[in-house]
Amino acid sequence: MLVQRFWYLVRGVCLSHGLLFVAAGSMVFWQSYRSLDWPEIPARVVQSNVMEREWLGTTVFWPEVFYQYEQNGNYKSSQSIAFFGMAPYVASLLSDRAMVEKMIAEKYALDSTVKVRMNPINPGNVVLEVKLLSFDFLFSMGLGMALLYLAWLVLMHMKHMLSLARVHT
């Protein structure tokens, strides 16, 4: 009975977390897809840095970009590169500082003009990069699907164990 409860718990955790990751991936994809229709407006890069942090025993680097744009005569600023504060490319999280510095020099140089997409309903919601099949989307969907598959495997294992128990009684 205790073993059966354990498998119920494992199945529940895999199912709930799998659904959560699939929902998160769907949200990233939907937000990116919707933003393709947002108008592009010019913005000026006012600061760009290479950020670094220790993660899983290695140092990772990614770009941090601050930019200003004009909306109805008012200047606003943002630092959103991609939706939900996530890196737009896997390459942004490499342990190669020179690669991120090159990305900043090529795409986000100080005082350069960049195009941002602005939400017409909420002008404070702007984004520098839109990528439908981003690493964030693929990771969330992949992990979610793997957890859902694991929940299904556990369910099949539980059914098999119950059928064996019925045969032996």
Side-chain angles (χ1 to χ4, degrees):
M1 195 62 141
L2 185 61
V3 171
Q4 188 177 5
R5 286 186 184 183
F6 169 76
W7 287 114
Y8 276 118
L9 178 67
V10 169
R11 185 188 71 187
V13 168
C14 289
L15 183 62
S16 63
H17 283 74
L19 291 172
L20 182 70
F21 276 101
V22 167
S26 299
M27 198 165 82
V28 167
F29 182 83
W30 177 245
Q31 183 77 349
S32 297
Y33 180 75
R34 282 183 11 175
S35 71
L36 291 175
D37 289 333
W38 294 355
E40 281 189 330
I41 61 169
R44 186 176 63 86
V45 176
V46 294
Q47 184 180 353
S48 52
N49 308 307
V50 176
M51 300 300 295
E52 69 179 77
R53 176 173 293 149
E54 289 292 321
W55 187 61
L56 297 177
T58 187
T59 303
V60 293
F61 304 93
W62 69 94
E64 180 182 56
V65 180
F66 295 89
Y67 51 91
Q68 286 184 334
Y69 60 99
E70 185 180 352
Q71 197 267 326
N72 293 335
N74 296 320
Y75 284 97
K76 297 186 177 196
S77 61
S78 181
Q79 67 182 67
S80 297
I81 295 179
F83 289 111
F84 308 107
M86 299 178 183
Y89 303 104
V90 178
S92 303
L93 295 174
L94 288 180
S95 57
D96 185 1
R97 182 182 188 96
M99 183 178 220
V100 179
E101 287 172 346
K102 181 180 176 188
M103 178 191 300
I104 287 175
E106 291 174 356
K107 296 175 80 171
Y108 315 122
L110 187 63
D111 287 326
S112 65
T113 300
V114 293
K115 294 281 187 184
V116 296
R117 292 192 183 267
M118 180 182 67
N119 184 341
I121 297 169
N122 178 7
N125 188 4
V126 294
V127 68
L128 198 53
E129 302 261 347
V130 175
K131 192 166 179 168
L132 291 179
L133 296 178
S134 66
F135 172 74
D136 313 315
F137 165 73
L138 296 173
F139 175 79
S140 295
M141 293 301 278
L143 183 58
M145 297 303 275
L147 288 169
L148 291 174
Y149 180 68
L150 186 58
W152 179 80
L153 286 177
V154 169
L155 177 64
M156 293 298 108
H157 173 74
M158 290 171 59
K159 282 185 175 183
H160 178 71
M161 296 305 286
L162 287 174
S163 67
L164 287 178
R166 286 188 192 126
V167 169
H168 291 283
T169 56

